[in-house]
Amino acid sequence: MSVIQAAKYLQIDGFLDQSRLPSTVSQECNIHLLEYVISRESRFVSTTTSTGEADYRNSKILYEFPEISAWMVHHISAILPTVFTQLDHPLFEVSQIEMQLTAHNDGNYYKMHNDNGSAAVVNRELSYVYYFYQEPKGFSGGELRLYDLDVATGWYESAETFVTIEPRNNSIVFFPSYYLHEVLPVACPSRRFAESRFTLNGWICR
Ligand SMILES: O=C(O)CCC(=O)C(=O)O
Ligand SMILES: [Fe+2]
């Protein structure tokens, strides 16, 4: 017998609405974010995984972005009540909102993993990914795939079924951190950094 739990997620389009931006930030939020990341290209480093496994994750990451993170935490906090309701997720007291900034360019990917599978990250409850990129779009692929879970054995194993989410510009996706998920390979023929698939993503921790 197999017991399949369908992956549930929430995607909100037009997340960073201009009317909600503080006056210190440029009118067009995406343009502001793009300018910000493009000017910091040299500070991006190659990603690693906690298991250290080679060929598991291939992308670039920026760890420090103080000008952006507090502002983003504010917007995520504001939407959290809606997220809990829509996902029908048990309420918990939020201790921290972790955040990273990634760039996926030609040939980059992140194979199947969950986000709270080791002791150091076990307090991650919900994962979020905010997508932004230059228009017209210079890449294809890079969909986020969430696997349904087979819970028959008491362990979560990936089912053969899944949902595939398009990483739409200025949208944010929320899902439980224990879900198995992956980033499908990106094709970016120009290989220009500015045309990467960018994310501000992280975890709502208890
Ligand atoms: O970029 C994405 O769509 C998801 C990234 C992800 O799964 C992670 O950073 O743990
Ligand atoms: Fe992840």
Side-chain angles (χ1 to χ4, degrees), residues 10 12 15 20 72-99 124-129 172-177 202-206:
L10 177 67
I12 300 169
F15 180 60
R20 289 164 62 192
M72 192 66 178
V73 162
H74 167 78
H75 284 290
I76 289 172
S77 302
I79 201 81
L80 275 186
T82 306
V83 176
F84 282 116
T85 307
Q86 293 287 321
L87 289 180
D88 201 17
H89 193 89
L91 281 174
F92 61 92
E93 195 167 335
V94 177
S95 68
Q96 194 193 351
I97 298 181
E98 294 180 284
M99 198 176 302
R124 293 175 177 174
E125 274 280 324
L126 291 175
S127 299
Y128 66 88
V129 194
I172 187 166
V173 175
F174 291 88
F175 60 92
S177 299
W203 305 278
I204 320 293
C205 302
R206 67 179 147 75

mmCIF file of all heavy atoms in Angstrom, residues 10 12 15 20 72-99 124-129 172-177 202-206:
data_model
loop_
_atom_site.group_PDB
_atom_site.id
_atom_site.type_symbol
_atom_site.label_atom_id
_atom_site.label_comp_id
_atom_site.label_asym_id
_atom_site.label_seq_id
_atom_site.Cartn_x
_atom_site.Cartn_y
_atom_site.Cartn_z
ATOM 1 N N LEU A 10 1.971 27.596 -2.113
ATOM 2 C CA LEU A 10 1.292 28.857 -2.399
ATOM 3 C C LEU A 10 2.233 29.705 -3.244
ATOM 4 O O LEU A 10 3.395 29.889 -2.878
ATOM 5 C CB LEU A 10 0.975 29.581 -1.075
ATOM 6 C CG LEU A 10 0.326 30.959 -1.197
ATOM 7 C CD1 LEU A 10 -1.079 30.840 -1.782
ATOM 8 C CD2 LEU A 10 0.268 31.630 0.182
ATOM 9 N N ILE A 12 2.423 33.499 -4.921
ATOM 10 C CA ILE A 12 1.792 34.823 -4.952
ATOM 11 C C ILE A 12 2.493 35.649 -6.026
ATOM 12 O O ILE A 12 3.709 35.857 -5.958
ATOM 13 C CB ILE A 12 1.917 35.525 -3.578
ATOM 14 C CG1 ILE A 12 1.236 34.676 -2.495
ATOM 15 C CG2 ILE A 12 1.319 36.930 -3.633
ATOM 16 C CD1 ILE A 12 1.542 35.147 -1.076
ATOM 17 N N PHE A 15 4.425 40.069 -5.980
ATOM 18 C CA PHE A 15 4.634 40.129 -4.527
ATOM 19 C C PHE A 15 5.113 41.503 -4.063
ATOM 20 O O PHE A 15 4.620 42.060 -3.097
ATOM 21 C CB PHE A 15 5.625 39.056 -4.088
ATOM 22 C CG PHE A 15 5.884 39.053 -2.609
ATOM 23 C CD1 PHE A 15 4.850 38.843 -1.712
ATOM 24 C CD2 PHE A 15 7.161 39.261 -2.104
ATOM 25 C CE1 PHE A 15 5.074 38.854 -0.338
ATOM 26 C CE2 PHE A 15 7.397 39.267 -0.742
ATOM 27 C CZ PHE A 15 6.353 39.058 0.143
ATOM 28 N N ARG A 20 3.698 49.334 -2.076
ATOM 29 C CA ARG A 20 4.128 48.951 -0.727
ATOM 30 C C ARG A 20 5.607 49.244 -0.492
ATOM 31 O O ARG A 20 6.132 48.930 0.561
ATOM 32 C CB ARG A 20 3.864 47.455 -0.508
ATOM 33 C CG ARG A 20 2.379 47.152 -0.393
ATOM 34 C CD ARG A 20 2.097 45.690 -0.574
ATOM 35 N NE ARG A 20 2.721 44.862 0.438
ATOM 36 C CZ ARG A 20 2.810 43.528 0.360
ATOM 37 N NH1 ARG A 20 2.327 42.907 -0.700
ATOM 38 N NH2 ARG A 20 3.379 42.845 1.299
ATOM 39 N N MET A 72 13.020 42.853 2.977
ATOM 40 C CA MET A 72 12.340 41.639 2.520
ATOM 41 C C MET A 72 11.693 40.900 3.698
ATOM 42 O O MET A 72 10.569 40.406 3.569
ATOM 43 C CB MET A 72 13.362 40.747 1.807
ATOM 44 C CG MET A 72 12.763 39.604 1.048
ATOM 45 S SD MET A 72 11.771 40.201 -0.334
ATOM 46 C CE MET A 72 11.256 38.633 -1.036
ATOM 47 N N VAL A 73 12.385 40.836 4.824
ATOM 48 C CA VAL A 73 11.822 40.196 6.023
ATOM 49 C C VAL A 73 10.505 40.894 6.405
ATOM 50 O O VAL A 73 9.519 40.253 6.750
ATOM 51 C CB VAL A 73 12.827 40.228 7.199
ATOM 52 C CG1 VAL A 73 12.125 39.987 8.532
ATOM 53 C CG2 VAL A 73 13.919 39.200 6.988
ATOM 54 N N HIS A 74 10.499 42.205 6.293
ATOM 55 C CA HIS A 74 9.291 42.977 6.591
ATOM 56 C C HIS A 74 8.126 42.525 5.701
ATOM 57 O O HIS A 74 7.014 42.285 6.175
ATOM 58 C CB HIS A 74 9.597 44.460 6.396
ATOM 59 C CG HIS A 74 8.402 45.331 6.356
ATOM 60 N ND1 HIS A 74 7.724 45.710 7.490
ATOM 61 C CD2 HIS A 74 7.728 45.871 5.305
ATOM 62 C CE1 HIS A 74 6.690 46.459 7.137
ATOM 63 N NE2 HIS A 74 6.665 46.565 5.827
ATOM 64 N N HIS A 75 8.377 42.395 4.411
ATOM 65 C CA HIS A 75 7.308 42.003 3.483
ATOM 66 C C HIS A 75 6.868 40.561 3.688
ATOM 67 O O HIS A 75 5.682 40.240 3.573
ATOM 68 C CB HIS A 75 7.751 42.224 2.034
ATOM 69 C CG HIS A 75 7.712 43.667 1.657
ATOM 70 N ND1 HIS A 75 6.531 44.346 1.505
ATOM 71 C CD2 HIS A 75 8.696 44.561 1.444
ATOM 72 C CE1 HIS A 75 6.797 45.609 1.198
ATOM 73 N NE2 HIS A 75 8.101 45.765 1.161
ATOM 74 N N ILE A 76 7.810 39.696 4.007
ATOM 75 C CA ILE A 76 7.451 38.292 4.232
ATOM 76 C C ILE A 76 6.634 38.172 5.527
ATOM 77 O O ILE A 76 5.614 37.483 5.563
ATOM 78 C CB ILE A 76 8.713 37.415 4.262
ATOM 79 C CG1 ILE A 76 9.271 37.325 2.848
ATOM 80 C CG2 ILE A 76 8.409 36.019 4.802
ATOM 81 C CD1 ILE A 76 10.604 36.666 2.745
ATOM 82 N N SER A 77 7.068 38.871 6.568
ATOM 83 C CA SER A 77 6.329 38.825 7.838
ATOM 84 C C SER A 77 4.885 39.267 7.634
ATOM 85 O O SER A 77 3.960 38.687 8.198
ATOM 86 C CB SER A 77 6.978 39.741 8.871
ATOM 87 O OG SER A 77 8.310 39.364 9.071
ATOM 88 N N ALA A 78 4.710 40.288 6.808
ATOM 89 C CA ALA A 78 3.370 40.840 6.595
ATOM 90 C C ALA A 78 2.436 39.843 5.911
ATOM 91 O O ALA A 78 1.233 39.848 6.139
ATOM 92 C CB ALA A 78 3.470 42.124 5.774
ATOM 93 N N ILE A 79 2.984 38.966 5.093
ATOM 94 C CA ILE A 79 2.152 38.028 4.326
ATOM 95 C C ILE A 79 1.977 36.690 5.066
ATOM 96 O O ILE A 79 1.144 35.864 4.668
ATOM 97 C CB ILE A 79 2.758 37.825 2.905
ATOM 98 C CG1 ILE A 79 1.712 37.292 1.904
ATOM 99 C CG2 ILE A 79 3.945 36.908 2.903
ATOM 100 C CD1 ILE A 79 0.821 38.310 1.335
ATOM 101 N N LEU A 80 2.728 36.485 6.141
ATOM 102 C CA LEU A 80 2.710 35.171 6.802
ATOM 103 C C LEU A 80 1.327 34.693 7.269
ATOM 104 O O LEU A 80 1.004 33.516 7.078
ATOM 105 C CB LEU A 80 3.689 35.140 7.975
ATOM 106 C CG LEU A 80 5.138 34.795 7.620
ATOM 107 C CD1 LEU A 80 5.958 34.664 8.896
ATOM 108 C CD2 LEU A 80 5.225 33.523 6.796
ATOM 109 N N PRO A 81 0.485 35.556 7.846
ATOM 110 C CA PRO A 81 -0.842 35.073 8.244
ATOM 111 C C PRO A 81 -1.597 34.453 7.065
ATOM 112 O O PRO A 81 -2.229 33.406 7.195
ATOM 113 C CB PRO A 81 -1.533 36.341 8.760
ATOM 114 C CG PRO A 81 -0.409 37.225 9.215
ATOM 115 C CD PRO A 81 0.714 36.959 8.255
ATOM 116 N N THR A 82 -1.507 35.085 5.902
ATOM 117 C CA THR A 82 -2.146 34.553 4.694
ATOM 118 C C THR A 82 -1.530 33.207 4.316
ATOM 119 O O THR A 82 -2.230 32.273 3.930
ATOM 120 C CB THR A 82 -1.936 35.545 3.514
ATOM 121 O OG1 THR A 82 -2.397 36.824 3.928
ATOM 122 C CG2 THR A 82 -2.666 35.095 2.263
ATOM 123 N N VAL A 83 -0.214 33.104 4.444
ATOM 124 C CA VAL A 83 0.482 31.871 4.076
ATOM 125 C C VAL A 83 0.032 30.708 4.968
ATOM 126 O O VAL A 83 -0.291 29.627 4.474
ATOM 127 C CB VAL A 83 2.010 32.060 4.165
ATOM 128 C CG1 VAL A 83 2.742 30.757 3.882
ATOM 129 C CG2 VAL A 83 2.474 33.149 3.198
ATOM 130 N N PHE A 84 -0.014 30.949 6.275
ATOM 131 C CA PHE A 84 -0.452 29.889 7.204
ATOM 132 C C PHE A 84 -1.859 29.424 6.856
ATOM 133 O O PHE A 84 -2.143 28.228 6.818
ATOM 134 C CB PHE A 84 -0.425 30.397 8.655
ATOM 135 C CG PHE A 84 0.948 30.435 9.257
ATOM 136 C CD1 PHE A 84 1.534 31.628 9.647
ATOM 137 C CD2 PHE A 84 1.657 29.257 9.437
ATOM 138 C CE1 PHE A 84 2.811 31.663 10.207
ATOM 139 C CE2 PHE A 84 2.933 29.275 10.011
ATOM 140 C CZ PHE A 84 3.504 30.481 10.389
ATOM 141 N N THR A 85 -2.727 30.373 6.594
ATOM 142 C CA THR A 85 -4.115 30.033 6.274
ATOM 143 C C THR A 85 -4.199 29.260 4.969
ATOM 144 O O THR A 85 -4.820 28.199 4.896
ATOM 145 C CB THR A 85 -4.959 31.334 6.162
ATOM 146 O OG1 THR A 85 -4.774 32.086 7.351
ATOM 147 C CG2 THR A 85 -6.429 31.022 5.978
ATOM 148 N N GLN A 86 -3.582 29.785 3.941
ATOM 149 C CA GLN A 86 -3.691 29.168 2.612
ATOM 150 C C GLN A 86 -3.073 27.778 2.584
ATOM 151 O O GLN A 86 -3.555 26.887 1.889
ATOM 152 C CB GLN A 86 -3.010 30.056 1.560
ATOM 153 C CG GLN A 86 -3.693 31.394 1.325
ATOM 154 C CD GLN A 86 -4.992 31.248 0.561
ATOM 155 O OE1 GLN A 86 -5.093 30.446 -0.365
ATOM 156 N NE2 GLN A 86 -6.003 31.990 0.963
ATOM 157 N N LEU A 87 -1.979 27.599 3.301
ATOM 158 C CA LEU A 87 -1.318 26.283 3.300
ATOM 159 C C LEU A 87 -1.915 25.367 4.352
ATOM 160 O O LEU A 87 -1.536 24.198 4.435
ATOM 161 C CB LEU A 87 0.192 26.430 3.560
ATOM 162 C CG LEU A 87 1.029 27.035 2.444
ATOM 163 C CD1 LEU A 87 2.500 27.093 2.878
ATOM 164 C CD2 LEU A 87 0.907 26.215 1.160
ATOM 165 N N ASP A 88 -2.800 25.922 5.182
ATOM 166 C CA ASP A 88 -3.381 25.156 6.276
ATOM 167 C C ASP A 88 -2.260 24.561 7.137
ATOM 168 O O ASP A 88 -2.295 23.397 7.537
ATOM 169 C CB ASP A 88 -4.269 24.040 5.688
ATOM 170 C CG ASP A 88 -5.280 23.546 6.705
ATOM 171 O OD1 ASP A 88 -5.502 24.254 7.704
ATOM 172 O OD2 ASP A 88 -5.824 22.448 6.512
ATOM 173 N N HIS A 89 -1.258 25.398 7.374
ATOM 174 C CA HIS A 89 -0.073 24.955 8.115
ATOM 175 C C HIS A 89 -0.264 25.259 9.597
ATOM 176 O O HIS A 89 -0.715 26.343 9.950
ATOM 177 C CB HIS A 89 1.175 25.681 7.585
ATOM 178 C CG HIS A 89 2.447 25.076 8.072
ATOM 179 N ND1 HIS A 89 3.088 24.062 7.394
ATOM 180 C CD2 HIS A 89 3.194 25.325 9.174
ATOM 181 C CE1 HIS A 89 4.174 23.712 8.064
ATOM 182 N NE2 HIS A 89 4.270 24.455 9.138
ATOM 183 N N PRO A 90 0.070 24.311 10.487
ATOM 184 C CA PRO A 90 -0.058 24.582 11.924
ATOM 185 C C PRO A 90 0.732 25.827 12.327
ATOM 186 O O PRO A 90 1.870 26.009 11.871
ATOM 187 C CB PRO A 90 0.540 23.331 12.583
ATOM 188 C CG PRO A 90 0.568 22.290 11.519
ATOM 189 C CD PRO A 90 0.629 22.995 10.200
ATOM 190 N N LEU A 91 0.130 26.657 13.144
ATOM 191 C CA LEU A 91 0.800 27.884 13.582
ATOM 192 C C LEU A 91 2.011 27.551 14.451
ATOM 193 O O LEU A 91 2.004 26.567 15.182
ATOM 194 C CB LEU A 91 -0.160 28.743 14.385
ATOM 195 C CG LEU A 91 -1.168 29.565 13.581
ATOM 196 C CD1 LEU A 91 -2.157 30.248 14.533
ATOM 197 C CD2 LEU A 91 -0.448 30.602 12.735
ATOM 198 N N PHE A 92 3.024 28.360 14.386
ATOM 199 C CA PHE A 92 4.178 28.215 15.272
ATOM 200 C C PHE A 92 4.743 29.603 15.513
ATOM 201 O O PHE A 92 4.484 30.541 14.752
ATOM 202 C CB PHE A 92 5.243 27.287 14.669
ATOM 203 C CG PHE A 92 5.803 27.763 13.357
ATOM 204 C CD1 PHE A 92 6.941 28.556 13.311
ATOM 205 C CD2 PHE A 92 5.191 27.419 12.160
ATOM 206 C CE1 PHE A 92 7.467 28.993 12.106
ATOM 207 C CE2 PHE A 92 5.711 27.856 10.941
ATOM 208 C CZ PHE A 92 6.843 28.641 10.914
ATOM 209 N N GLU A 93 5.492 29.729 16.572
ATOM 210 C CA GLU A 93 6.117 31.011 16.866
ATOM 211 C C GLU A 93 7.380 31.147 16.028
ATOM 212 O O GLU A 93 8.265 30.285 16.096
ATOM 213 C CB GLU A 93 6.439 31.110 18.357
ATOM 214 C CG GLU A 93 6.737 32.530 18.763
ATOM 215 C CD GLU A 93 6.746 32.703 20.279
ATOM 216 O OE1 GLU A 93 6.078 31.902 20.974
ATOM 217 O OE2 GLU A 93 7.428 33.617 20.742
ATOM 218 N N VAL A 94 7.444 32.200 15.249
ATOM 219 C CA VAL A 94 8.582 32.384 14.338
ATOM 220 C C VAL A 94 9.767 32.947 15.117
ATOM 221 O O VAL A 94 9.669 33.994 15.744
ATOM 222 C CB VAL A 94 8.199 33.333 13.181
ATOM 223 C CG1 VAL A 94 9.388 33.594 12.270
ATOM 224 C CG2 VAL A 94 7.024 32.756 12.387
ATOM 225 N N SER A 95 10.896 32.237 15.069
ATOM 226 C CA SER A 95 12.084 32.712 15.783
ATOM 227 C C SER A 95 12.982 33.532 14.859
ATOM 228 O O SER A 95 13.704 34.419 15.293
ATOM 229 C CB SER A 95 12.879 31.527 16.328
ATOM 230 O OG SER A 95 13.436 30.786 15.254
ATOM 231 N N GLN A 96 12.914 33.217 13.572
ATOM 232 C CA GLN A 96 13.883 33.804 12.644
ATOM 233 C C GLN A 96 13.414 33.605 11.207
ATOM 234 O O GLN A 96 12.750 32.592 10.908
ATOM 235 C CB GLN A 96 15.211 33.069 12.830
ATOM 236 C CG GLN A 96 16.400 33.737 12.205
ATOM 237 C CD GLN A 96 17.612 32.803 12.166
ATOM 238 O OE1 GLN A 96 17.603 31.720 12.752
ATOM 239 N NE2 GLN A 96 18.651 33.210 11.465
ATOM 240 N N ILE A 97 13.748 34.539 10.337
ATOM 241 C CA ILE A 97 13.541 34.337 8.899
ATOM 242 C C ILE A 97 14.916 34.380 8.242
ATOM 243 O O ILE A 97 15.555 35.430 8.198
ATOM 244 C CB ILE A 97 12.586 35.400 8.303
ATOM 245 C CG1 ILE A 97 11.208 35.299 8.966
ATOM 246 C CG2 ILE A 97 12.472 35.226 6.787
ATOM 247 C CD1 ILE A 97 10.157 36.270 8.455
ATOM 248 N N GLU A 98 15.377 33.234 7.806
ATOM 249 C CA GLU A 98 16.693 33.145 7.168
ATOM 250 C C GLU A 98 16.551 33.523 5.694
ATOM 251 O O GLU A 98 15.503 33.291 5.095
ATOM 252 C CB GLU A 98 17.230 31.717 7.224
ATOM 253 C CG GLU A 98 17.540 31.191 8.615
ATOM 254 C CD GLU A 98 18.060 29.761 8.535
ATOM 255 O OE1 GLU A 98 17.250 28.846 8.329
ATOM 256 O OE2 GLU A 98 19.280 29.580 8.672
ATOM 257 N N MET A 99 17.646 34.044 5.125
ATOM 258 C CA MET A 99 17.569 34.481 3.731
ATOM 259 C C MET A 99 18.906 34.347 3.009
ATOM 260 O O MET A 99 19.957 34.574 3.600
ATOM 261 C CB MET A 99 17.126 35.949 3.689
ATOM 262 C CG MET A 99 16.604 36.384 2.331
ATOM 263 S SD MET A 99 15.982 38.089 2.374
ATOM 264 C CE MET A 99 14.738 37.973 3.624
ATOM 265 N N ARG A 124 13.736 24.754 10.570
ATOM 266 C CA ARG A 124 13.113 25.365 9.390
ATOM 267 C C ARG A 124 11.745 24.731 9.159
ATOM 268 O O ARG A 124 11.647 23.520 8.994
ATOM 269 C CB ARG A 124 13.975 25.144 8.150
ATOM 270 C CG ARG A 124 15.288 25.882 8.207
ATOM 271 C CD ARG A 124 16.133 25.511 7.010
ATOM 272 N NE ARG A 124 17.385 26.257 6.986
ATOM 273 C CZ ARG A 124 18.362 26.046 6.113
ATOM 274 N NH1 ARG A 124 18.225 25.097 5.190
ATOM 275 N NH2 ARG A 124 19.458 26.760 6.171
ATOM 276 N N GLU A 125 10.707 25.554 9.150
ATOM 277 C CA GLU A 125 9.332 25.056 8.997
ATOM 278 C C GLU A 125 8.807 25.267 7.581
ATOM 279 O O GLU A 125 8.227 24.374 6.996
ATOM 280 C CB GLU A 125 8.403 25.799 9.961
ATOM 281 C CG GLU A 125 8.340 25.206 11.335
ATOM 282 C CD GLU A 125 7.415 24.002 11.430
ATOM 283 O OE1 GLU A 125 6.368 23.975 10.758
ATOM 284 O OE2 GLU A 125 7.768 23.079 12.177
ATOM 285 N N LEU A 126 8.958 26.503 7.104
ATOM 286 C CA LEU A 126 8.464 26.829 5.769
ATOM 287 C C LEU A 126 9.598 27.378 4.929
ATOM 288 O O LEU A 126 10.428 28.158 5.413
ATOM 289 C CB LEU A 126 7.357 27.894 5.850
ATOM 290 C CG LEU A 126 6.015 27.491 6.480
ATOM 291 C CD1 LEU A 126 5.100 28.711 6.588
ATOM 292 C CD2 LEU A 126 5.330 26.391 5.661
ATOM 293 N N SER A 127 9.630 26.970 3.674
ATOM 294 C CA SER A 127 10.600 27.508 2.723
ATOM 295 C C SER A 127 9.889 28.525 1.841
ATOM 296 O O SER A 127 8.707 28.365 1.542
ATOM 297 C CB SER A 127 11.153 26.389 1.837
ATOM 298 O OG SER A 127 11.811 25.420 2.619
ATOM 299 N N TYR A 128 10.616 29.561 1.455
ATOM 300 C CA TYR A 128 10.047 30.524 0.500
ATOM 301 C C TYR A 128 11.080 30.826 -0.572
ATOM 302 O O TYR A 128 12.304 30.734 -0.329
ATOM 303 C CB TYR A 128 9.597 31.828 1.203
ATOM 304 C CG TYR A 128 10.749 32.606 1.784
ATOM 305 C CD1 TYR A 128 11.444 33.541 1.003
ATOM 306 C CD2 TYR A 128 11.184 32.384 3.082
ATOM 307 C CE1 TYR A 128 12.525 34.231 1.513
ATOM 308 C CE2 TYR A 128 12.264 33.066 3.594
ATOM 309 C CZ TYR A 128 12.935 33.994 2.804
ATOM 310 O OH TYR A 128 14.027 34.667 3.304
ATOM 311 N N VAL A 129 10.607 31.123 -1.750
ATOM 312 C CA VAL A 129 11.500 31.518 -2.857
ATOM 313 C C VAL A 129 10.845 32.672 -3.600
ATOM 314 O O VAL A 129 9.742 32.523 -4.143
ATOM 315 C CB VAL A 129 11.740 30.363 -3.859
ATOM 316 C CG1 VAL A 129 12.926 30.703 -4.762
ATOM 317 C CG2 VAL A 129 11.963 29.024 -3.170
ATOM 318 N N ILE A 172 6.409 34.913 -5.401
ATOM 319 C CA ILE A 172 7.019 34.223 -4.266
ATOM 320 C C ILE A 172 6.243 32.940 -4.006
ATOM 321 O O ILE A 172 5.015 32.916 -4.101
ATOM 322 C CB ILE A 172 7.078 35.136 -3.010
ATOM 323 C CG1 ILE A 172 7.883 34.469 -1.888
ATOM 324 C CG2 ILE A 172 5.685 35.538 -2.527
ATOM 325 C CD1 ILE A 172 8.270 35.417 -0.754
ATOM 326 N N VAL A 173 6.998 31.877 -3.721
ATOM 327 C CA VAL A 173 6.413 30.558 -3.476
ATOM 328 C C VAL A 173 6.727 30.160 -2.033
ATOM 329 O O VAL A 173 7.853 30.364 -1.570
ATOM 330 C CB VAL A 173 7.021 29.525 -4.459
ATOM 331 C CG1 VAL A 173 6.523 28.120 -4.145
ATOM 332 C CG2 VAL A 173 6.694 29.895 -5.900
ATOM 333 N N PHE A 174 5.733 29.595 -1.353
ATOM 334 C CA PHE A 174 5.916 29.054 0.004
ATOM 335 C C PHE A 174 5.550 27.573 0.007
ATOM 336 O O PHE A 174 4.556 27.178 -0.616
ATOM 337 C CB PHE A 174 4.990 29.767 0.998
ATOM 338 C CG PHE A 174 5.336 31.200 1.265
ATOM 339 C CD1 PHE A 174 4.818 32.216 0.458
ATOM 340 C CD2 PHE A 174 6.155 31.554 2.330
ATOM 341 C CE1 PHE A 174 5.127 33.552 0.704
ATOM 342 C CE2 PHE A 174 6.463 32.887 2.587
ATOM 343 C CZ PHE A 174 5.948 33.885 1.774
ATOM 344 N N PHE A 175 6.306 26.774 0.753
ATOM 345 C CA PHE A 175 5.977 25.353 0.900
ATOM 346 C C PHE A 175 6.671 24.816 2.156
ATOM 347 O O PHE A 175 7.676 25.400 2.607
ATOM 348 C CB PHE A 175 6.400 24.551 -0.354
ATOM 349 C CG PHE A 175 7.863 24.603 -0.677
ATOM 350 C CD1 PHE A 175 8.747 23.638 -0.197
ATOM 351 C CD2 PHE A 175 8.395 25.627 -1.460
ATOM 352 C CE1 PHE A 175 10.101 23.685 -0.494
ATOM 353 C CE2 PHE A 175 9.752 25.688 -1.760
ATOM 354 C CZ PHE A 175 10.603 24.707 -1.280
ATOM 355 N N PRO A 176 6.149 23.713 2.739
ATOM 356 C CA PRO A 176 6.784 23.165 3.942
ATOM 357 C C PRO A 176 8.219 22.702 3.650
ATOM 358 O O PRO A 176 8.474 22.061 2.625
ATOM 359 C CB PRO A 176 5.887 21.980 4.308
ATOM 360 C CG PRO A 176 4.558 22.309 3.697
ATOM 361 C CD PRO A 176 4.894 23.018 2.411
ATOM 362 N N SER A 177 9.131 22.994 4.567
ATOM 363 C CA SER A 177 10.559 22.736 4.327
ATOM 364 C C SER A 177 10.903 21.253 4.235
ATOM 365 O O SER A 177 11.970 20.897 3.734
ATOM 366 C CB SER A 177 11.404 23.387 5.419
ATOM 367 O OG SER A 177 11.223 24.778 5.422
ATOM 368 N N GLY A 202 14.686 31.494 1.352
ATOM 369 C CA GLY A 202 15.121 31.084 2.683
ATOM 370 C C GLY A 202 14.028 30.376 3.440
ATOM 371 O O GLY A 202 13.168 29.722 2.839
ATOM 372 N N TRP A 203 14.041 30.554 4.760
ATOM 373 C CA TRP A 203 13.245 29.697 5.624
ATOM 374 C C TRP A 203 12.645 30.471 6.790
ATOM 375 O O TRP A 203 13.311 31.297 7.414
ATOM 376 C CB TRP A 203 14.143 28.573 6.146
ATOM 377 C CG TRP A 203 14.763 27.870 4.984
ATOM 378 C CD1 TRP A 203 14.183 26.892 4.223
ATOM 379 C CD2 TRP A 203 16.042 28.141 4.383
ATOM 380 N NE1 TRP A 203 15.030 26.539 3.179
ATOM 381 C CE2 TRP A 203 16.165 27.278 3.259
ATOM 382 C CE3 TRP A 203 17.084 29.022 4.663
ATOM 383 C CZ2 TRP A 203 17.296 27.279 2.435
ATOM 384 C CZ3 TRP A 203 18.201 29.033 3.847
ATOM 385 C CH2 TRP A 203 18.295 28.153 2.756
ATOM 386 N N ILE A 204 11.378 30.127 7.075
ATOM 387 C CA ILE A 204 10.699 30.638 8.252
ATOM 388 C C ILE A 204 10.938 29.592 9.345
ATOM 389 O O ILE A 204 10.532 28.436 9.195
ATOM 390 C CB ILE A 204 9.164 30.760 8.017
ATOM 391 C CG1 ILE A 204 8.829 31.274 6.604
ATOM 392 C CG2 ILE A 204 8.507 31.598 9.107
ATOM 393 C CD1 ILE A 204 9.229 32.669 6.308
ATOM 394 N N CYS A 205 11.632 30.003 10.405
ATOM 395 C CA CYS A 205 12.076 29.035 11.420
ATOM 396 C C CYS A 205 11.257 29.152 12.704
ATOM 397 O O CYS A 205 10.830 30.234 13.082
ATOM 398 C CB CYS A 205 13.540 29.284 11.768
ATOM 399 S SG CYS A 205 14.617 29.182 10.338
ATOM 400 N N ARG A 206 11.065 28.028 13.359
ATOM 401 C CA ARG A 206 10.403 28.056 14.666
ATOM 402 C C ARG A 206 11.470 28.098 15.754
ATOM 403 O O ARG A 206 12.638 27.850 15.523
ATOM 404 C CB ARG A 206 9.470 26.857 14.825
ATOM 405 C CG ARG A 206 10.152 25.512 14.897
ATOM 406 C CD ARG A 206 9.110 24.431 15.089
ATOM 407 N NE ARG A 206 9.517 23.216 14.420
ATOM 408 C CZ ARG A 206 10.470 22.396 14.868
ATOM 409 N NH1 ARG A 206 11.095 22.675 15.985
ATOM 410 N NH2 ARG A 206 10.800 21.323 14.198
#
